[in-house]
């Protein structure tokens, strides 16, 4: 395991001690949000040795099949279908289910979902979020119509969205409910791990996620017929006998990526425990700062604690989220805005949605700040970051005055 990145340990006493005013950064190396964790190298190499010995690098190899089996067991879901990435996975599900027309989704989510829908001729209908930052079933109910072909909800920050209310809504309109579970590997709902809800759930296995294969995705479902169709479609529609049974594309996961996944799955308990400790460190270190609140998973959720999400109220904190971000980035703390702006404000959807009002989404886009944590959290100097933020808050007026005179 890597050791904490050392800072310059400079003493912060006045605004001119900050890097934005010319002082050296507090941290010598950049601290990224959700830096990937590397599995045990010996375990990964041993798996690669088998790939070389078999000379089998892709096309439904033994490591892909092993990872699908182990993930199905870990997630307690009947079917897992691995893919080259989560966007391809969602594309396959949309096509396998024959979804057309309009699809409801939260505006406060990663733009790739809306882009993928647009590229296959489906109109994304952007909805607002509720107090948990996830898709609001009440707002969905207002926007659902005769052209609605599906709802895609996001388990944002690793916590489940309002699954029960959304499922009730979709059942009433006889349309499929899908879940973007990119953030949510290991999260729980009613005592079950996410993966078995709706018609299907799509997890990203990108390197920055709580569990990753370097690059990849997986569809989980309780629908055996859908799983079988997806297996055909991810390999050009070819059956095991080489016959083309349907249209398809190349969305297969390679053996090398599966090896990364297997090595990471062996360490998943330790990875999750480390992320939880770091999350708790931020909770303690930032507690009581006016205008700053952390999103904390509900006590009943088995969260992966992969994301440390702070909301900055400009009036209470003393400066805007964007000003705080600018100060942190100068110190090599590469905190980030997330899902900014909302999907309804992004190209190519902005013009068509110019009059659309999604007040909770717009507010979150101005307040949310995600801090370095997650899978590579063992290298994050949490207390130093918290002390830096606390110092900035304490010196807000001095910093603001110095900023106005300098820039």
């Amino acid at each position: 395991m890597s050791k904490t990145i050392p800072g310059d340990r400079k003493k912060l006493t006045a605004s001119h001690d900050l890097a934005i005013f010319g002082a050296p950064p507090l941290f010598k190396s950049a601290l990224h949000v959700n830096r990937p964790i590397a599995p045990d190298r010996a375990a990964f190499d041993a798996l690669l040795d088998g790939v070389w010995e078999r000379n089998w690098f892709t096309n439904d190899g033994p490591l892909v099949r092993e990872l699908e089996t182990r993930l199905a067991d870990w997630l307690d879901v009947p079917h897992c279908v691995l893919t080259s990435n989560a966007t391809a996975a969602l594309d396959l599900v949309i096509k396998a289910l024959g979804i057309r027309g309009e699809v409801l989704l939260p505006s406060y989510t990663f733009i790739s979902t809306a882009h993928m829908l647009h590229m296959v001729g489906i109109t994304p209908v952007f909805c607002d979020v509720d107090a948990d930052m996830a898709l609001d079933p009440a707002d969905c109910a207002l926007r659902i119509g005769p052209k609605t072909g599906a709802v895609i909800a996001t388990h944002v920050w690793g916590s489940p969205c309002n699954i029960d209310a959304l499922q009730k809504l979709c059942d009433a309109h006889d349309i499929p409910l899908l879940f973007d579970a990119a953030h949510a590997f290991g999260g729980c709902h009613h005592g079950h791990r996410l993966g078995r809800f709706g018609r299907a759930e799509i997890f990203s296995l990108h390197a920055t996620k709580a569990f990753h294969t370097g690059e990849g995705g997986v569809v989980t479902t309780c629908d055996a017929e859908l799983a079988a169709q997806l297996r055909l479609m991810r390999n050009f529609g070819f059956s095991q006998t080489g016959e083309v049974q349907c249209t398809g594309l190349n969305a297969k996961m390679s053996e090398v990526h599966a090896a990364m996944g297997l090595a990471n799955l062996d360490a998943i308990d330790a990875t999750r425990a480390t992320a939880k400790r770091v999350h708790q460190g931020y909770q303690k270190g930032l507690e009581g700062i006016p205008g700053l609140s952390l999103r904390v998973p509900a006590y009943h959720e088995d969260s992966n604690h992969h994301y440390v999400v702070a909301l900055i109220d400009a009036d209470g904190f003393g400066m805007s989220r964007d000003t705080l971000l600018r100060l942190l980035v100068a110190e090599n703390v590469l905190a980030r805005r997330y899902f900014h702006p909302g999907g309804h404000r992004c190209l190519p959807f902005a013009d068509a949605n110019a009059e659309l009002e999604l007040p909770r989404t717009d507010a979150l886009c101005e307040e949310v700040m995600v801090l370095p944590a997650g899978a590579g959290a063992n290298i994050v100097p949490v207390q130093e970051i918290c002390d830096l933020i606390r110092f900035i808050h304490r010196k807000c007026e001095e910093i603001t005055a110095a900023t106005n005179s300098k820039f």
Side-chain angles (χ1 to χ4, degrees):
M1 303 290 279
S2 301
K3 295 181 179 179
T4 297
I5 294 176
D8 287 334
R9 303 295 196 269
K10 64 184 178 184
K11 187 175 181 180
L12 297 174
T13 59
S15 61
H16 57 73
D17 295 321
L18 293 170
I20 201 166
F21 300 113
L26 181 61
F27 300 101
K28 295 177 181 177
S29 300
L31 301 175
H32 293 272
V33 170
N34 303 123
R35 181 179 183 272
I37 190 151
D40 179 74
R41 182 61 185 270
F44 180 60
D45 286 349
L47 290 163
L48 288 187
D49 287 344
V51 174
W52 256 254
E53 290 168 6
R54 289 185 292 272
N55 198 31
W56 191 346
F57 297 98
T58 189
N59 289 347
D60 200 26
L63 295 189
V64 167
R65 284 181 273 126
E66 180 183 352
L67 183 56
E68 287 182 335
T69 298
R70 289 187 58 187
L71 285 175
D73 181 64
W74 199 89
L75 294 169
D76 190 25
V77 64
H79 307 286
C80 285
V81 181
L82 289 168
T83 60
S84 53
N85 57 66
T87 304
L90 180 59
D91 185 24
L92 292 178
V93 172
I94 292 289
K95 291 171 180 173
L97 295 177
I99 295 170
R100 296 180 178 84
E102 299 176 347
V103 168
L104 274 58
L105 74 163
S107 182
Y108 194 70
T109 193
F110 191 46
I111 195 62
S112 67
T113 302
H115 280 171
M116 191 281 297
L117 293 171
H118 178 74
M119 290 178 72
V120 297
I122 294 173
T123 301
V125 176
F126 295 104
C127 302
D128 213 347
V129 293
D130 57 22
D132 289 334
M133 307 189 201
L135 183 62
D136 182 2
D139 197 56
C140 278
L142 295 175
R143 303 181 194 281
I144 205 165
K147 294 182 180 180
T148 305
V151 172
I152 302 176
T154 301
H155 300 310
V156 70
W157 313 129
S159 297
C161 60
N162 195 336
I163 293 172
D164 298 336
L166 289 167
Q167 188 64 66
K168 184 178 180 180
L169 177 66
C170 289
D171 288 345
H173 291 270
D174 194 27
I175 56 175
L177 174 61
L178 306 176
F179 292 103
D180 170 357
H183 284 184
F185 188 88
C188 283
H189 176 65
H190 292 336
H192 294 284
R193 284 197 168 118
L194 297 175
R196 59 171 46 247
F197 301 100
R199 287 296 298 277
E201 303 200 46
I202 295 93
F203 293 83
S204 171
L205 305 183
H206 182 263
T208 58
K209 296 301 187 285
F211 166 77
H212 74 86
T213 59
E215 185 67 88
V218 62
V219 180
T220 60
T221 182
C222 296
D223 185 335
E225 184 177 343
L226 175 60
Q229 184 73 5
L230 294 173
R231 293 184 191 284
L232 291 172
M233 293 176 68
R234 72 178 176 184
N235 186 31
F236 306 105
F238 285 114
S239 69
Q240 294 286 347
T241 61
E243 298 174 286
V244 178
Q245 296 192 351
C246 64
T247 56
L249 48 82
N250 184 4
K252 302 185 297 292
M253 176 176 282
S254 77
E255 287 289 272
V256 174
H257 289 93
M260 176 67 75
L262 288 167
N264 273 323
L265 193 58
D266 285 339
I268 190 66
D269 290 340
T271 299
R272 284 159 56 86
T274 300
K276 185 174 183 178
R277 286 196 300 271
V278 168
H279 202 286
Q280 291 171 337
Y282 275 111
Q283 288 177 243
K284 182 178 179 180
L286 297 175
E287 186 177 13
I289 299 178
L292 186 153
S293 59
L294 283 189
R295 187 190 185 283
V296 179
Y299 73 92
H300 60 275
E301 295 174 5
D302 186 16
S303 173
N304 54 41
H305 292 92
H306 190 60
Y307 297 90
V308 172
V309 182
L311 289 96
I312 308 300
D313 174 67
D315 292 336
F317 188 81
M319 64 175 59
S320 70
R321 184 273 316 272
D322 286 352
T323 301
L324 176 57
L325 275 175
R326 186 181 177 192
L327 295 167
L328 293 177
V329 169
E331 304 292 347
N332 268 332
V333 180
L334 305 189
R336 289 179 54 193
R337 305 182 298 192
Y338 247 68
F339 309 144
H340 179 280
H344 67 300
R345 305 294 187 204
C346 291
L347 292 174
F349 313 111
D351 288 345
N353 292 282
E355 304 301 320
L356 179 60
E357 295 185 3
L358 302 178
R360 292 195 188 97
T361 296
D362 289 335
L364 287 175
C365 288
E366 298 302 317
E367 295 176 355
V368 165
M369 177 179 72
V370 181
L371 291 162
N378 57 298
I379 68 161
V380 175
V382 173
Q383 190 57 55
E384 290 183 0
I385 294 174
C386 293
D387 290 345
L388 172 61
I389 293 172
R390 197 172 288 277
F391 171 82
I392 290 171
H393 166 69
R394 198 165 57 245
K395 298 290 185 179
C396 270
E397 290 187 11
E398 184 180 317
I399 293 168
T400 300
T403 301
N404 290 339
S405 64
K406 182 176 177 62
F407 300 104

